[in-house]
Amino acid sequence: MNKEQKTNTWKLLFIISPAILFGNIAEILDDKNIAFTVGLTIIGVSLGFLAHYLTKKKTLSIKIIALSILIIIPLSIIVFNVENELEKKWSNQIINTIEFSSPTVLKLINSDIPENLKEYYNKLEIYNDGKKDKSIILYTIELKDENIDLKNYFEQYLETFKVKIPNIKTVDIIEQIESENDILTKFKFSTKNETLNGYSRFIKKDRNLNMFWLVPFSKSYTEKYIEKFNKNILTQKL
């Protein structure tokens, strides 16, 4: 690799790395304002250009240190906010007689029963947290017949989420704990580039069925997040 090629490689590293990481800060902060995301990306690019300009005639060690600092700064912000989401006070809610808590209040997004389910359900309400990359989803259902197989329900609904996630190669059940009226499942979607951890908890009482999902559409849930969410469903523990 000649001198010009080396210079161009370092220039790309200095520009692309902070641009991507600073751009992701808006997503971590759950800010849906495109201008904010673009602004952070521009800051990343500007810092990258500046660092490259100041270090292009410096030694390899100086270049590595400068690039490391550019990467560590946004990564630290991202890691801090992920941890802060676990530490901050979660919002308590009661939906369909089940009390639970989550980082954001779940909102009703649909209460229509599809035609093909009207013979099985008297009521179907869907709540979620409005996120696209990973989402807390709650289905609250009033069944016409309370004699159902919870494991079968889990498998049916899991299939509906699988088709919404591109490039899934495998789906693995990591853990499944089952009782007569309660089933907890930890699973993972494996795509070409990553592994996405998810969770579900189905709780049935008489004809009322509550199905909690942590669905990793493009971003994984951490084990700590899953454990905290499960502990904050205030019902009989498995």
Side-chain angles (χ1 to χ4, degrees), residues 39-86:
L40 286 172
T41 303
I42 291 172
I43 289 173
V45 171
S46 301
L47 289 173
F49 265 116
L50 178 62
H52 173 67
Y53 175 78
L54 294 174
T55 62
K56 64 181 178 180
K57 294 182 180 180
K58 303 296 183 181
T59 64
L60 178 61
S61 297
I62 297 297
K63 286 183 172 70
I64 291 173
I65 291 171
L67 181 60
S68 298
I69 292 172
L70 278 177
I71 292 173
I72 288 170
I73 291 172
L75 271 181
S76 299
I77 296 172
I78 291 169
V79 170
F80 173 78
N81 278 280
V82 169
E83 290 297 320
N84 188 50
E85 188 175 37
L86 290 172

Side-chain angles (χ1 to χ4, degrees), residues 28-198:
I28 294 295
L29 295 176
D30 199 27
D31 193 307
K32 297 179 175 59
N33 189 330
I34 298 297
F36 184 52
T37 302
V38 172
L40 286 172
T41 303
I42 291 172
I43 289 173
V45 171
S46 301
L47 289 173
F49 265 116
L50 178 62
H52 173 67
Y53 175 78
L54 294 174
T55 62
K56 64 181 178 180
K57 294 182 180 180
K58 303 296 183 181
T59 64
L60 178 61
S61 297
I62 297 297
K63 286 183 172 70
I64 291 173
I65 291 171
L67 181 60
S68 298
I69 292 172
L70 278 177
I71 292 173
I72 288 170
I73 291 172
L75 271 181
S76 299
I77 296 172
I78 291 169
V79 170
F80 173 78
N81 278 280
V82 169
E83 290 297 320
N84 188 50
E85 188 175 37
L86 290 172
E87 296 300 326
K88 73 179 183 180
K89 184 176 175 60
W90 286 16
S91 301
N92 291 328
Q93 282 185 268
I94 298 176
I95 297 177
N96 201 29
T97 74
I98 295 289
E99 184 176 356
F100 65 96
S101 62
S102 61
T104 52
V105 173
L106 305 191
K107 296 181 179 179
L108 178 66
I109 61 167
N110 197 342
S111 58
D112 296 327
I113 304 174
E115 285 297 325
N116 63 324
L117 294 178
K118 286 184 176 180
E119 62 177 301
Y120 305 107
Y121 299 164
N122 288 322
K123 181 186 78 170
L124 170 62
E125 294 179 344
I126 305 173
Y127 299 78
N128 72 17
D129 59 2
K131 294 185 177 181
K132 302 297 183 183
D133 55 350
K134 58 181 182 180
S135 184
I136 303 172
I137 302 173
L138 170 60
Y139 295 84
T140 68
I141 299 168
E142 183 183 313
L143 301 161
K144 290 189 175 182
D145 182 358
E146 64 179 274
N147 298 311
I148 62 167
D149 183 341
L150 289 180
K151 193 170 184 178
N152 180 261
Y153 262 60
F154 162 77
E155 292 170 352
Q156 289 181 39
Y157 275 84
L158 183 66
E159 287 296 321
T160 66
F161 292 124
K162 282 170 56 179
V163 299
K164 297 178 181 179
I165 301 173
N167 303 319
I168 285 184
K169 298 179 71 176
T170 60
V171 178
D172 297 305
I173 304 302
I174 306 303
E175 180 181 13
Q176 193 164 67
I177 305 173
E178 188 176 359
S179 67
E180 183 180 0
N181 295 310
D182 198 337
I183 181 170
L184 180 157
T185 308
K186 296 177 184 177
F187 57 89
K188 68 177 181 181
F189 296 144
S190 297
T191 68
K192 183 178 179 181
N193 300 314
E194 60 187 333
T195 298
L196 305 170
N197 297 314

Side-chain angles (χ1 to χ4, degrees), residues 197-232:
N197 297 314
Y199 156 97
S200 74
R201 180 84 182 271
F202 289 17
I203 302 165
K204 187 175 80 70
K205 184 177 180 181
D206 300 323
R207 293 176 184 242
N208 290 316
L209 174 63
N210 299 277
M211 303 190 299
F212 291 92
W213 287 90
L214 303 183
V215 184
F217 290 110
S218 61
K219 185 176 292 185
S220 183
Y221 283 96
T222 65
E223 184 64 29
K224 286 184 179 179
Y225 189 108
I226 290 172
E227 290 297 330
K228 181 171 181 177
F229 185 84
N230 185 60
K231 288 178 181 178
N232 283 319

